[in-house]
Amino acid sequence: MKEVRTQYRISKITSRDAILDVLAEDSTGHLYNLEIQRAAVIDHARRTRFYSAMIDSEYLEKGKSCEELPDVYIIYVSETDLWKSGQAACQVEKYFKNTDISYDEFNGREVIAPDELEEQAPRAVYKADGKIREIERDVAKRWKKSNIRIACIGLENQTKIDPDMPLRVIGYDGAEYRAQLSDGSSRYPVVTLVLYFGYKTRWNKNLSLKERLDIPPVFDKYVNDYKINLFEIAYLTHEQVAMFQSDFRAVADYFVQKRENGSCVPEPCVLKHVQETLQLLSVMSNDHRFED
């Protein structure tokens, strides 16, 4: 730890002071607030929210961007099971309603720069039953930095619900991992994102391999699971759509409006890749007017 302070007071002229039991900062600038509570009658959730807000206001200097806010971890220790979870330790995270998307995971930050992506052949070749077979993705990209391959990222666009999607994804990913065994390259992760563009019905089928298989109970613990990363584009919130920094914002906005209103009134925007965006909208919506 770079610095540790106890009974640290944060004072504001027009609001209540916060006295933190312990506030520590590590060498990377991350902050850790340790609070020890013995009382069971305090509104603990709002208390931690207040402390977090005060720490943010203390560490974001005037004129700085919110992107410069440090990561803050609040460690709350109590004598009793405050949340009635039955667990000795509980990790609290924020998620968007009805999704598995963490609010704080990327928070609109650009994680992969466009110039770090390069085209990759969407076809993978493998041998089965003595025959050469091919498996083809919708889109495949390599993520590279300084000529070092970091990951393979595949995109699968779906307009219809496919209960076999977990099997398809494990086939795509397995073919890419298999290729790594033969080309002598470094080992890197394969990530597949399934983009579901349906706006009349939510995805209500399997999201994992185990959900799709009929597994005898005695074998269940021996069967490895494999989950898919599914994003229901039409069911994103307006806040989530606004986080997109690319032309995909127009695509997401179109499907959200189609779900909500049955039609779309596009917001004024400047597209960097006009033809590609309109082609995607045409294919995913089955509305060929985008290409006319």
Side-chain angles (χ1 to χ4, degrees):
M1 285 293 173
K2 177 182 175 182
E3 185 177 11
V4 178
R5 288 169 283 190
T6 59
Q7 295 301 300
Y8 181 69
R9 179 185 293 270
I10 301 177
S11 300
K12 301 296 176 184
I13 295 176
T14 59
S15 64
R16 171 179 168 173
D17 289 0
I19 303 177
L20 311 181
D21 290 346
V22 178
L23 182 64
E25 181 179 355
D26 66 17
S27 57
T28 63
H30 294 167
L31 301 174
Y32 304 85
N33 171 215
L34 174 63
E35 293 296 322
I36 300 175
Q37 276 297 335
R38 305 186 67 178
V41 296
I42 299 172
D43 191 330
H44 301 280
R46 283 186 167 83
R47 190 181 186 89
T48 56
R49 169 182 153 191
F50 172 65
Y51 286 161
S52 178
M54 292 294 280
I55 293 171
D56 283 345
S57 66
E58 178 80 352
Y59 278 81
L60 187 65
E61 298 177 4
K62 186 175 181 180
K64 286 194 173 183
S65 167
C66 290
E67 294 179 355
E68 300 178 70
L69 275 170
D71 290 334
V72 178
Y73 300 90
I74 297 181
I75 304 168
Y76 208 75
V77 181
S78 67
E79 289 183 336
T80 58
D81 185 0
L82 299 175
W83 315 114
K84 310 300 180 186
S85 66
Q87 301 181 53
C90 298
Q91 183 172 337
V92 180
E93 294 186 5
K94 298 178 183 177
Y95 287 87
F96 287 103
K97 187 176 181 180
N98 299 324
T99 75
D100 294 325
I101 304 173
S102 171
Y103 179 78
D104 297 313
E105 186 170 8
F106 299 124
N107 201 22
R109 291 183 293 112
E110 183 181 78
V111 177
I112 304 175
D115 59 3
E116 294 172 353
L117 291 173
E118 66 177 24
E119 295 291 339
Q120 176 172 323
R123 291 186 180 88
V125 180
Y126 66 99
K127 191 173 183 179
D129 300 325
K131 298 181 179 179
I132 300 298
R133 303 181 185 274
E134 285 188 349
I135 190 169
E136 185 171 357
R137 290 180 176 274
D138 289 346
V139 178
K141 300 282 187 178
R142 291 191 186 95
W143 181 20
K144 296 180 71 175
K145 279 189 177 182
S146 301
N147 293 323
I148 299 174
R149 186 178 299 182
I150 299 174
C152 168
I153 302 173
L155 296 177
E156 297 303 317
N157 299 316
Q158 290 291 123
T159 57
K160 296 182 180 179
I161 300 170
D162 184 356
D164 286 326
M165 203 68 213
L167 281 75
R168 290 176 54 194
V169 169
I170 198 172
Y172 299 141
D173 294 354
E176 180 65 28
Y177 284 124
R178 186 186 182 100
Q180 294 180 29
L181 294 175
S182 59
D183 64 9
S185 64
S186 60
R187 304 298 183 250
Y188 51 86
V190 181
V191 178
T192 296
L193 307 179
V194 180
L195 308 184
Y196 173 56
F197 292 93
Y199 57 86
K200 295 181 179 179
T201 306
R202 298 205 68 155
W203 187 282
N204 54 14
K205 294 298 181 181
N206 314 298
L207 295 174
S208 69
L209 182 62
K210 277 193 169 184
E211 291 176 359
R212 183 55 174 152
L213 303 179
D214 295 323
I215 306 173
V218 68
F219 288 154
D220 184 74
K221 66 179 181 180
Y222 300 106
V223 178
N224 292 326
D225 205 2
Y226 204 82
K227 298 181 180 180
I228 65 174
N229 301 304
L230 177 78
F231 297 88
E232 297 179 279
I233 303 305
Y235 294 87
L236 297 175
T237 66
H238 292 283
E239 292 77 14
Q240 288 172 300
V241 173
M243 288 183 181
F244 286 110
Q245 301 177 28
S246 67
D247 293 344
F248 193 77
R249 180 188 296 185
V251 177
D253 181 61
Y254 171 84
F255 285 97
V256 170
Q257 288 198 47
K258 287 286 285 185
R259 173 181 62 84
E260 293 180 340
N261 310 317
S263 60
C264 177
V265 179
E267 296 182 359
C269 65
V270 178
L271 298 177
K272 293 182 180 179
H273 306 91
V274 178
Q275 183 177 355
E276 292 84 352
T277 303
L278 295 180
Q279 284 179 340
L280 178 61
L281 281 167
S282 176
V283 172
M284 293 299 104
S285 67
N286 198 30
D287 187 344
H288 300 293
R289 290 177 299 174
F290 287 108
E291 294 185 275
D292 293 343

